[in-house]
Each structure stands twice: as structure tokens, then as C-alpha cells.
Amino acid sequence: MSDSLDTKSSNKRIAKNTMFLYMRMFVSIIVNLYTVRVLWQVLGIDDYGIYNVVGGIVLMFAFLNNAMIASSQRFISFELGKGNKERLIKTFSISITVHLILALCVLILAETIGVWFLNEKLNIPSTRMAAANWVYQCSVISFLLNVISVPYNACIVAHEHMKVYGYFGIIDIIIKLFLVLLTAVIPFDHLITYAILILLLSASMRFAYSIYCKTHFEECRFHRSKDKRLMKDMFSFAGWSFIGNMGFSVRDQGINIILNLFFNVAVNAAKGIATQVGTVINGFATNFTMALNPQITKRYASGDIDGMLQLLYNGCKFSLILMSIVVIPLIMSAKTILSFWLGDVAPYTVGFLQLALIISIIDCVVSPITTSLQATGRIKKFQIIISIIMLANLPISWIWLKLDANPYIVMVVSIATSIIALISRLVLLHELINFSYRCFFYKVYSRTIPYLFISSIWAWILFPIFDSNFIGIILYIIFSLIGIGIALYLIALNKSEKKVFVESIVSRLKILKR
């Protein structure tokens, strides 16, 4: 009986946290898309491309930070699941120490290899090199601030205070829009001005997160700790995570640099727009799994493997459904929407966006699987294999571009490696906890694949019917979503999920009537 109550309580907490994250997401989609439009107009195509490719050099070092994010979140969530308060305090303090060491390593790399690569290798107009260096230094400082604040963010996620991300996220994007508008009226180099203002915003938000954590979580106080075993375990976990995340940094940011070596900053601008939109769209799945992932780790820590697997199946299935609702109509109408949104659309932008959305559909199920693998703590083999697959993006893309392929080939290669990496994760998870492939496919894909097929056919048939104007695209999206919604209810949801869906709608209608 108590297990049932615990399950219901955790499910309610997941639903509540997801609601807060989606509140942030819907506001962020509207504001972010408008912000990108204004920034595109304020900076122009070339400076927008410079901002993306230069920032990409700094983000190449993100695999160091991402490794420690995974380590901090896993260990803090694990200790919360165990209920060991003393160990939790030690874990946080050691995490702070580790991140300070990491920040120093990133600073050394960024100010040596990074500066050399920026000034000697990138294809940037000579007249804009000074501005590019300003952007680079601001990006480095902002990144270091993010590294140092990781333990605080990990505590927020582990404690499942997702409303903090909702409130702070909304504040962040609204201020960011204000800064873009401010950049347009300041009589100074717009690229340099924007980089400095974003740095100031990043510093302010990092400070706000740390203040929140110190006032709400008792473990968020630094204490000297000499637990060498715990530090070794965290560094070991982070070390293998570092290898895996290095592959993702190469795929996501290294490809930007490869494109710059073969083409110009206008192509980087096109890729940057696709990345921006892809990041916003990925929020549909990310916000859901962010609320789900701490529960996966806690259930493994408490020995509830069946409960963990059920969360895994639900997380993968509903991530795919949530992503498809947006991706399917957007793929069909990408050219028209980009024209209305940006006005002057750079070459390759439409194709980059469509291919990025396909990658999003493939990758949206990855987070629950990866969290389940990390919960076991045995990640050496997993990280090595995934890193090799992701790192393959760079040499394969370089070879194709050397053979005079068009820029789209880098995204096609990413699609192929994403599929291979997804299959590899499932094989590795099967080895660690012996879960059933058949059960995974049945619960995640048996209904969603037919749903995706029918929804895509509906959106494809519908698109030519409407005019390519603002009213036409709005009508197309509305009728697409109606058809996708019907397919979702009739095909994607099983009997119990339909019951929950109907009860949810009825309860909301009752609230509206009051």
C-alpha cells in the first residue's frame, strides 16, 4: 500500500514539475523566436554567423562541463534516494571543489588553444577579427561562471524544484529580449555590445541560482571534505562521462567549425538558425525528461528496478509524442515559416532546419535511456562506445566536404550516427539491467510508429491546400494539429492512457466552469 502511495506521490510530483517546465517552455518559445528574429536583424547575417561559430569554440570545451553535470546530478540524486544527509553534504562540497579545478582547466585551454584557433584557423573577415575576439572572451567568462554553478543547478534538479527553472527561465529570456533591443540603440559595435550584455546577464542569473540554493537546501554550504574515496568516485564517473560528452561536443559544435573551414560565415548563420530553432523545439522533450530523470535515479538507488523501467518506457514514449506534435507540421512548412519569421532567409537555412528536426525526433528518447545507464554507475563501456560513434561525425563529414559535397551532408551524417548511438544505448542497457528489447519496442514504438506515419501523411496532404501567407500558415498549423491530435488519441495512446487523458480534460473543464 505504501509503495502504491509513493508511486502516486512521485507521479504527481513529476506531473507538477513538468507543468512548471512547460509554462517556461511556452513563454520561452514565443520570446526566444522573436529574440532570434530581432538579433538576426540587428547583427546581420555575417555577424550572426560569427557569433555562432566563435561561441562554438568555447562550447567545444562543454564536454568537460557536461561530464561534471552528469556526475553531480547522479551522485546528488543518488544520495537523496538513499536518504543519507551527511553523505549528501559531502557530495555537494566535493562537487564544488571539482568544478573549481575544472574551471581552471577550461580557462587554460581556452586562452591557449582556443585563442590560437580563433585567430589562425577560422574563416572570419579580417575587419571583424577584433569583434570576434571580444565575443570569444565574453563567451569564455560566461562559460566559466556556468561551470562553477553546476553543483547548485544539480541540487535544484535532484530536489525536483523545477518551478525554479520555470520562473528563472522566463526572467532570463525576457531580459535577453530587452538586451537585444538595447543593443540596437546603443551607438557602438552591435556584436561586441551584445556579447558584453549577455555576459552580464549570465553572471546575474548564476548568482541568483546560487542564492536560491543556499536559502532552500541545507547541503548547499561549502565544507572542507577529505573523503578521497568519494572524490575518486566522482572523478571516475566524470572521467567516463567526459569521454562520452566529448563526442556530442564534436557533433554539435565541431561541425560548425568544419563548415566554417569549407564555406563562409553565412553558412554558419544558416546552421545557427537551425540550431536555435532545434534547441527551442527540443524543449518539448527536455522539459518532460528533466522532471522525470531524478525519479529514475532515485528508484534505481532504492532498488525499484521495475519502477525505473516503467518511467523509462513512459519517458521515451511521451518524449516522442510531444516532439512530434511540433516537428511534423514544422518540417512541412519550414520554408514559409522561416520567410515570415526572418524575412531575409540565408541559403541552406531551410534544409538545415528540416534535417535538425529529424535529428530531434531521433534523439528525443535518449535522455531517459542515458539517465538509466548513469544510475547504475557503470558507464565506462557506454561512454567509450557513444563517444566513438559521435566523434565519427567529424572525420566522415570532413571527407564528404573534401569531396565537394554540399553543407547538408554534415546533418545527414549526424542522423546516421544518432540512429546507431540509440541502438547502442539499448544494447548496453540490456547488458546492465537485463531489460527486454521486446518490451521496450512494444511500449515505446508499437503505437508511436503508426501514429507518426499517419500524422506525417496527413500533414503532407494538407500543406498544398492552404495559401503561403500568414493566414494560410496559421490555418495549416491548426488543421494539422487537429489531425495529429486525433491520430494521437486513436493510435498512440493505449486504453489506460486514454482514460487518464479524458479525465485530465474533464477536470480542467470543471475548473474553467467554476
Side-chain angles (χ1 to χ4, degrees):
M1 182 69 179
S2 61
D3 288 343
S4 175
L5 290 173
D6 287 343
T7 300
K8 286 182 179 179
S9 176
S10 65
N11 286 341
K12 286 181 180 178
R13 189 159 57 249
I14 290 169
K16 183 179 179 181
N17 288 332
T18 304
M19 180 189 71
F20 279 112
L21 291 168
Y22 272 93
M23 177 185 70
R24 164 187 148 175
M25 182 195 66
F26 284 119
V27 174
S28 70
I29 284 176
I30 296 170
V31 180
N32 265 329
L33 292 179
Y34 181 69
T35 301
V36 172
R37 171 189 167 86
V38 176
L39 185 61
W40 177 268
Q41 293 172 342
V42 170
L43 296 184
I45 292 175
D46 285 353
D47 274 5
Y48 189 88
I50 291 170
Y51 188 81
N52 275 278
V53 73
V54 172
I57 299 176
V58 179
L59 291 177
M60 279 287 287
F61 301 116
F63 62 85
L64 295 167
N65 193 36
N66 291 340
M68 285 312 306
I69 291 173
S71 178
S72 297
Q73 288 185 357
R74 188 268 174 186
F75 278 86
I76 291 173
S77 293
F78 194 90
E79 297 307 332
L80 280 171
K82 287 286 189 182
N84 190 331
K85 187 170 291 186
E86 182 181 348
R87 181 88 168 171
L88 178 62
I89 293 170
K90 281 186 178 181
T91 300
F92 176 82
S93 297
I94 289 174
S95 183
I96 289 285
T97 303
V98 168
H99 278 83
L100 288 171
I101 295 170
L102 176 62
L104 179 61
C105 294
V106 171
L107 179 62
I108 293 170
L109 288 172
E111 295 302 331
T112 53
I113 297 172
V115 170
W116 168 81
F117 192 85
L118 167 65
N119 289 279
E120 299 296 329
K121 294 298 180 181
L122 285 189
N123 182 18
I124 295 174
S126 58
T127 56
R128 302 302 292 152
M129 279 306 301
N133 275 277
W134 271 95
V135 171
Y136 181 76
Q137 293 300 332
C138 289
S139 299
V140 169
I141 298 170
S142 179
F143 184 75
L144 294 176
L145 291 172
N146 287 334
V147 170
I148 295 169
S149 67
V150 162
Y152 297 99
N153 290 33
C155 283
I156 293 172
V157 173
H159 283 277
E160 302 180 64
H161 283 212
M162 301 308 174
K163 62 182 178 181
V164 178
Y165 280 106
Y167 298 145
F168 278 79
I170 290 170
I171 293 170
D172 180 69
I173 59 175
I174 291 173
I175 295 176
K176 196 169 289 183
L177 172 59
F178 170 75
L179 295 182
V180 174
L181 297 172
L182 184 61
T183 300
V185 299
I186 292 178
F188 189 62
D189 187 295
H190 288 161
L191 183 56
I192 296 174
T193 300
Y194 182 69
I196 293 172
L197 291 175
I198 290 299
L199 169 59
L200 294 175
L201 173 61
S202 179
S204 301
M205 295 306 297
R206 293 304 101 202
F207 180 73
Y209 274 117
S210 63
I211 292 297
Y212 177 87
C213 289
K214 288 177 180 178
T215 55
H216 287 79
F217 311 132
E218 59 180 303
E219 74 269 16
C220 290
R221 296 283 190 281
F222 180 77
H223 302 278
R224 283 184 175 274
S225 178
K226 297 181 180 180
D227 193 331
K228 295 181 180 179
R229 175 65 183 273
L230 179 57
M231 181 173 283
K232 181 182 176 182
D233 288 345
M234 290 187 72
F235 263 119
S236 176
F237 188 96
W240 296 116
S241 294
F242 153 82
I243 292 173
N245 281 288
M246 181 171 61
F248 283 99
S249 290
V250 167
R251 188 190 76 172
D252 296 337
Q253 304 304 326
I255 291 303
N256 274 339
I257 296 172
I258 286 287
L259 284 172
N260 182 262
L261 296 177
F262 283 91
F263 301 99
N264 54 35
V265 290
V267 174
N268 287 118
K271 177 68 164 53
I273 286 293
T275 301
Q276 287 278 353
V277 177
T279 300
V280 172
I281 300 304
N282 285 336
F284 278 83
T286 302
N287 285 315
F288 174 63
T289 55
M290 186 182 288
L292 189 77
N293 288 344
Q295 281 294 322
I296 291 177
T297 303
K298 289 174 183 177
R299 292 198 183 189
Y300 180 84
S302 64
D304 183 11
I305 303 300
D306 289 339
M308 184 194 80
L309 287 175
Q310 192 57 52
L311 287 176
L312 166 66
Y313 301 143
N314 290 340
C316 291
K317 178 177 179 177
F318 288 102
S319 294
L320 189 56
I321 289 172
L322 289 167
M323 187 69 73
S324 68
I325 292 171
V326 181
V327 166
I328 291 172
L330 186 52
I331 285 178
M332 302 297 173
S333 58
K335 184 176 181 179
T336 307
I337 289 176
L338 283 172
S339 297
F340 282 119
W341 177 36
L342 300 175
D344 183 19
V345 180
Y348 301 110
T349 306
V350 175
F352 274 139
L353 176 57
Q354 291 170 326
L355 292 168
L357 293 173
I358 293 172
I359 293 172
S360 295
I361 281 285
I362 298 167
D363 284 349
C364 69
V365 301
V366 163
S367 183
I369 301 171
T370 300
T371 301
S372 299
L373 284 161
Q374 291 174 337
T376 68
R378 293 172 286 171
I379 61 170
K380 176 180 176 181
K381 186 176 179 180
F382 155 60
Q383 296 292 8
I384 290 174
I385 291 174
I386 297 303
S387 180
I388 291 171
I389 295 170
M390 293 295 106
L391 285 171
N393 276 277
L394 205 59
I396 295 172
S397 296
W398 187 86
I399 291 169
W400 276 106
L401 291 174
K402 199 72 175 173
L403 295 172
D404 292 328
N406 68 42
Y408 294 140
I409 193 63
V410 301
M411 304 296 282
V412 175
V413 172
S414 291
I415 289 171
T417 53
S418 289
I419 294 171
I420 294 169
L422 174 59
I423 296 170
S424 300
R425 288 184 184 91
L426 294 175
V427 172
L428 292 165
L429 187 60
H430 173 74
E431 291 179 0
L432 287 174
I433 60 174
N434 197 30
F435 91 113
S436 167
Y437 296 123
R438 182 179 179 182
C439 190
F440 178 86
F441 182 84
Y442 176 76
K443 293 197 173 186
V444 177
Y445 288 114
S446 64
R447 289 178 175 271
T448 53
I449 288 178
Y451 151 74
L452 289 172
F453 179 75
I454 297 296
S455 298
S456 300
I457 293 295
W458 168 254
W460 178 71
I461 292 172
L462 204 61
F463 185 67
I465 297 174
F466 296 95
D467 295 329
S468 296
N469 54 37
F470 184 75
I471 299 298
I473 205 67
I474 294 297
L475 290 173
Y476 166 70
I477 291 172
I478 291 171
F479 281 97
S480 291
L481 292 177
I482 290 172
I484 291 170
I486 293 170
L488 168 61
Y489 183 80
L490 295 178
I491 301 172
L493 302 181
N494 60 34
K495 188 178 292 186
S496 61
E497 290 164 349
K498 287 177 183 177
K499 183 180 178 182
V500 172
F501 178 78
V502 171
E503 289 175 351
S504 176
I505 296 296
V506 170
S507 65
R508 278 160 178 74
L509 289 175
K510 287 180 179 178
I511 292 172
L512 290 174
K513 288 180 180 180
R514 289 175 184 173

